[in-house]
């Protein structure tokens, strides 16, 4: 049996910036403590939500070291390591210090638009090179191609590929993976808004943007689903439904940073080409928070 420590509520951590665009290390440490204290199960470092494409190599190492130092081994840590040059990803994996890091999140190669055989070969090369478990990340809306269910199930045979983060939005496809996968291979939701239904179908966790802010509420829903308390989970799911839409209404992480700024977790600063959420979305987020914060 493969040992996958990445189940339950995972947090796709934001990278907070100061007004001068520098990385806000103090805020990042506060965010880590906030999500750990409020019930998160694992941390995801340098995923899409972190604005990783805009970080320098030095800043990435600063973010990694700050999170590992603050976490103090309390939760498993997954590190985003992907790209569209397979050999470069393999070399970066071989060079990476995995002290304090328990796994890799690796996205389907973007821009090149590989076919299914190319995607399979890419992930197998990364998994062969990695000393820690690999979670494949399927997000066609960002990368331009879709990792099909059959290919995902084939990859699930690799002993070092332990899960897939599924953000295709294709419920039929995700159900086919859940039906056909090996018993020790996990499916993680990549969309906050459909996490509860996917848990009902057999998913074992989520990599969440929303839970950066309302960790307590999201984690309670996840625990309720794990414990078979479906009615309690549904109440939380429907209570969070509008906010889960609003935080993506003008791009990610624009929405979640807007909310986190409002509740004092970080400043509302992004790096170009991303910009702040528009005034209408910001007003809607602040209004919806009045209902959600006391849930």
């Amino acid at each position: 049996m493969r040992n996958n420590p990445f189940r339950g509520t995972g947090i796709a951590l934001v990278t907070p910036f100061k007004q001068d665009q520098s990385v806000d290390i103090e805020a990042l440490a506060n965010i880590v403590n906030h999500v750990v204290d409020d019930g998160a199960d694992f941390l995801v470092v340098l995923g899409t939500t972190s604005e990783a494409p805009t970080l320098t190599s030095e800043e990435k190492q600063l973010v990694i070291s700050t999170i590992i130092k603050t976490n103090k081994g309390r939760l498993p840590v997954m590190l985003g390591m992907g790209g569209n040059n397979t050999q470069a990803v393999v070399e970066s994996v071989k060079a990476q210090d995995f002290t304090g890091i328990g796994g890799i999140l690796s996205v389907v190669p973007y821009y090149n638009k590989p076919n299914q055989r190319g995607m399979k070969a890419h992930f197998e090369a990364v998994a062969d090179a990695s000393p820690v478990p690999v979670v494949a990340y399927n997000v066609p809306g960002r990368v331009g191609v879709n990792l099909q269910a059959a290919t995902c199930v084939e990859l699930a045979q690799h002993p070092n590929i332990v899960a897939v983060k599924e953000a295709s939005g294709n419920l039929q496809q995700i159900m086919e993976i859940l039906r056909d996968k090996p018993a020790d291979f996990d499916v993680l939701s990549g969309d906050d808004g459909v996490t509860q239904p996917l848990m009902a179908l057999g998913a074992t966790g989520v990599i969440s943007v929303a839970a950066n802010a309302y960790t307590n509420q999201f984690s309670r829903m996840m625990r309720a689903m794990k414990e078979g308390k479906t009615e309690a989970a549904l109440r939380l799911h429907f209570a969070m439904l509008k906010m889960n839409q609003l935080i993506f209404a003008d791009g990610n992480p624009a929405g979640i940073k807007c909310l986190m700024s409002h509740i004092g977790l970080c400043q509302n600063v992004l790096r170009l080409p991303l910009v702040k959420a528009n005034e209408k979305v910001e007003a809607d987020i602040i209004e919806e928070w009045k209902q959600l914060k006391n849930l």
Side-chain angles (χ1 to χ4, degrees):
M1 290 288 289
R2 284 172 282 199
N3 179 28
N4 175 27
F6 304 109
R7 294 183 176 132
T9 307
I11 314 296
L13 289 163
V14 304
T15 302
F17 300 119
K18 298 179 181 178
Q19 291 297 328
D20 66 1
Q21 292 280 312
S22 63
V23 177
D24 191 339
I25 297 306
E26 183 178 347
L28 181 57
N30 287 340
I31 292 165
V32 170
N33 285 324
H34 160 72
V35 300
V36 172
D37 292 344
D38 273 13
D41 295 299
F42 64 94
L43 306 174
V44 180
V45 184
L46 299 182
T48 309
T49 306
S50 75
E51 299 175 72
T54 70
L55 299 175
T56 66
S57 297
E58 292 77 16
E59 287 173 330
K60 288 178 181 179
Q61 289 307 313
L62 180 61
V63 168
I64 293 168
S65 62
T66 300
I67 291 169
I68 291 173
K69 180 180 178 181
T70 307
N71 181 45
K72 297 178 181 175
R74 290 177 289 177
L75 298 182
V77 174
M78 182 189 298
L79 176 62
M81 297 190 78
N84 59 349
N85 177 342
T86 305
Q87 189 56 41
V89 176
V90 166
E91 289 172 3
S92 66
V93 167
K94 289 179 176 178
Q96 180 65 43
D97 177 4
F98 284 98
T99 304
I101 298 168
I104 288 172
L105 177 67
S106 199
V107 72
V108 169
Y110 43 84
Y111 190 74
N112 301 1
K113 302 187 78 171
N115 61 21
Q116 297 300 305
R117 288 178 292 111
M119 291 181 225
K120 183 172 181 284
H122 169 87
F123 280 115
E124 288 172 340
V126 173
D128 287 345
S130 177
V132 296
V134 174
V135 176
Y137 177 18
N138 186 37
V139 57
R142 286 189 180 274
V143 306
V145 285
N146 175 50
L147 181 72
Q148 295 173 4
T151 309
C152 183
V153 172
E154 287 179 17
L155 285 170
Q157 308 303 319
H158 193 293
N160 204 32
I161 301 177
V162 299
V164 63
K165 176 187 177 183
E166 243 295 345
S168 66
N170 184 335
L171 192 59
Q172 178 70 27
Q173 172 171 294
I174 300 169
M175 290 190 295
E176 289 175 7
I177 296 169
L178 286 162
R179 179 193 65 194
D180 298 337
K181 71 179 183 63
D184 61 350
F185 180 84
D186 290 311
V187 174
L188 307 175
S189 172
D191 291 309
D192 287 317
V194 298
T195 296
Q196 187 276 335
L198 290 185
M199 291 289 287
L201 289 165
T204 55
V206 62
I207 295 178
S208 172
V209 175
N212 271 280
Y214 38 105
T215 321
N216 176 276
Q217 293 89 331
F218 212 102
S219 298
R220 281 160 49 207
M221 182 194 74
M222 296 294 287
R223 286 195 299 273
M225 285 303 296
K226 184 179 179 181
E227 295 166 5
K229 299 174 181 175
T230 309
E231 287 188 16
L234 272 173
R235 283 196 298 271
L236 289 161
H237 167 68
F238 286 126
M240 294 186 290
L241 192 61
K242 185 174 180 180
M243 186 67 88
N244 286 342
Q245 292 174 308
L246 282 172
I247 61 171
F248 295 102
D250 203 19
N252 180 45
I256 195 64
K257 279 194 167 181
C258 170
L259 177 56
M260 293 172 78
S261 172
H262 178 67
I263 61 182
L265 285 169
C266 68
Q267 297 188 55
N268 191 12
V269 179
L270 294 90
R271 282 186 176 175
L272 289 170
L274 301 183
V275 294
K276 295 179 185 179
N278 67 61
E279 291 180 3
K280 173 66 165 63
V281 169
E282 181 175 7
D284 289 345
I285 286 173
I286 292 170
E287 186 61 30
E288 183 64 17
W289 179 244
K290 294 175 184 177
Q291 310 301 319
L292 190 53
K293 65 181 178 181
N294 297 318
L295 183 64

